Amino acid sequence: MKKLIMFLGGLVLIALTLGMLFLTSAIYDSVRGTQIDTYFFQRNNYSAERTGAPETPGEIGETTMREMLIKKFVNEYFYVIPDAENIARRISKSTSVLYKMASPAVFSAWQGGEAETIQDMADHRKMRIVEIDGEIFMPSGSDYWVVPYVLYTWDESNDMATAPTVSRGQMLMNVSFEMGLRETVGGEPFDVGKYLKDGYNTFESANEPAAIFKFRVNDLEDK
């Protein structure tokens, strides 16, 4: 009786194994004919609340996409970490996402202004983060977006008990934006696929995905 039970159990295990192999092969075969589309993870500050299906650009909408890119630009414009390689990468036209998101005049003004402040802060081991401080809006009759922001600066490194210095400001920003991916950068053809692939293969200095969109800050005033 015991041998019969073992024999039947063996048959069940074989059947289960064959079933799993069939299911695996079916899943593998279904990969054929797939295509790659652009999606974005659900937007939320908490990973536990980003469990929904990725969103398409159309679902996000033009207004939200533009605001996301404005926020990214402002972050790149101001943030500071005590890392010499970080600021060197941000200043260089070949590796700077800010260069790809701004007009030559705006980028040059940043290089000769705020970038020097960032360099000095990084040399003194300071850290700074930036947050958007309210609604991004365009006043009636204006071509400039009003972008309020707040800066938090830590002057002492590795001291969690030190409260940051808080300062507020406002940017007036003239922006060109349309849905879709860019074809050129600086008048030269731009291969989006190669750009993202190169960034993936060199993760430590990854190319910023924000640079692939048709977004440019033409002019700005920091008040």
Side-chain angles (χ1 to χ4, degrees):
M1 185 66 180
K2 184 177 180 180
K3 289 183 178 180
L4 178 62
I5 293 174
M6 292 178 65
F7 175 73
L8 293 175
L11 290 179
V12 171
L13 287 174
I14 292 173
L16 288 173
T17 302
L18 291 175
M20 291 173 65
L21 288 173
F22 174 78
L23 179 61
T24 302
S25 64
I27 292 174
Y28 177 80
D29 190 61
S30 68
V31 172
R32 297 178 183 177
T34 58
Q35 64 182 23
I36 298 175
D37 294 318
T38 303
Y39 286 92
F40 298 84
F41 286 110
Q42 294 283 346
R43 290 159 283 124
N44 197 285
N45 290 331
Y46 301 98
S47 59
E49 297 179 27
R50 289 199 298 266
T51 57
E55 297 176 292
T56 67
E59 288 170 336
I60 291 176
E62 182 174 341
T63 297
T64 300
M65 282 286 293
R66 181 180 57 247
E67 291 190 354
M68 289 169 65
L69 290 166
I70 287 175
K71 290 175 181 178
K72 175 62 177 176
F73 180 90
V74 174
N75 183 68
E76 289 292 327
Y77 196 93
F78 284 116
Y79 87 90
V80 180
I81 59 175
D83 180 358
E85 291 185 7
N86 173 268
I87 183 59
R89 187 167 63 247
R90 290 160 68 191
I91 290 174
S92 173
K93 291 181 179 180
S94 62
T95 54
S96 173
V97 65
L98 207 65
Y99 172 73
K100 295 178 177 65
M101 298 179 75
S103 68
V106 169
F107 184 73
S108 294
W110 177 80
Q111 278 184 311
E114 192 62 37
E116 294 184 354
T117 300
I118 293 172
Q119 178 75 71
D120 181 69
M121 292 176 68
D123 290 343
H124 287 85
R125 312 300 295 171
K126 297 182 179 183
M127 188 179 82
R128 182 171 71 184
I129 63 174
V130 56
E131 293 181 354
I132 300 302
D133 188 31
E135 179 186 1
I136 298 173
F137 67 96
M138 180 182 288
S140 178
S142 174
D143 295 324
Y144 285 75
W145 293 94
V146 177
V147 186
Y149 64 84
V150 56
L151 302 176
Y152 300 92
T153 304
W154 284 265
D155 294 322
E156 299 291 336
S157 59
N158 299 321
D159 186 355
M160 300 302 293
T162 302
T165 301
V166 180
S167 59
R168 287 177 167 77
Q170 181 175 272
M171 274 188 170
L172 302 180
M173 191 180 296
N174 179 271
V175 172
S176 296
F177 172 70
E178 60 179 289
M179 297 291 279
L181 307 182
R182 64 170 72 229
E183 293 90 25
T184 62
V185 172
E188 298 295 326
F190 183 61
D191 187 333
V192 171
K194 183 178 184 302
Y195 177 82
L196 295 176
K197 181 180 178 181
D198 289 348
Y200 177 80
N201 290 334
T202 55
F203 183 75
E204 291 183 356
S205 57
N207 293 328
E208 286 282 356
I212 71 176
F213 298 99
K214 294 180 179 179
F215 173 92
R216 188 173 81 161
V217 177
N218 302 312
D219 187 32
L220 68 80
E221 180 182 350
D222 183 24
K223 303 174 65 175

